[in-house]
Amino acid sequence: MNKQFLIFISCAAVLLVANPAFASQSGVIKTVQGQVRIERGDRNLVAKVGDPVQELDRVMSQSESSVGISMNDETLLSLGPNSMLVIDRYAYDPVTRTGQVATSILKGTLRYVTGLIGRAHPEAIKVTTQNSTIGIRGTEFIVQVPVDN
């Protein structure tokens, strides 16, 4: 085998390994105030500005804490203090500007500003609480879920 072929195979292998991690990134942490954590599978991460968020991540803010997330389609998610959000489903095709966003707010406050998916296809946005599912037809809203005592 020649040297160029080996370099090509090596690069292809690196891309195959790196691509799934990149493709699974749904958005990025833009702001963090106080203590915010991300549960990703069996890992518990301290959220920092610039960290990726992924489908199935559970984002949790502590008291006197908040976090701002910018999704790939420009959707903006803001969690207030003592809040918990799960990114249940996130798919976005930047070429067609289509996709699907499903989140669950388990407790606390979520401010949601729809991005390209919601503006083009509002029926593709779903926010679930313990007691209801919200279909989105507007561009901005706030959901508050009280903490059970």
Side-chain angles (χ1 to χ4, degrees), residues 72-148:
N72 293 344
D73 74 316
E74 301 172 11
T75 292
L76 302 176
L77 307 173
S78 301
L79 283 178
N82 293 316
S83 298
M84 187 180 306
L85 170 82
V86 178
I87 302 169
D88 299 307
R89 172 91 172 109
Y90 188 84
Y92 175 61
D93 182 341
V95 175
T96 63
R97 292 187 171 187
T98 59
Q100 212 175 17
V101 183
T103 58
S104 295
I105 178 77
L106 305 178
K107 70 175 185 173
T109 305
L110 168 67
R111 179 172 181 259
Y112 194 113
V113 180
T114 57
L116 299 172
I117 295 170
R119 284 183 231 136
H121 304 283
E123 70 281 358
I125 307 297
K126 182 171 79 170
V127 175
T128 302
T129 70
Q130 292 178 358
N131 298 320
S132 62
T133 299
I134 304 166
I136 307 309
R137 298 296 177 260
T139 57
E140 183 175 342
F141 62 93
I142 297 174
V143 177
Q144 186 169 13
V145 176
V147 178
D148 291 335

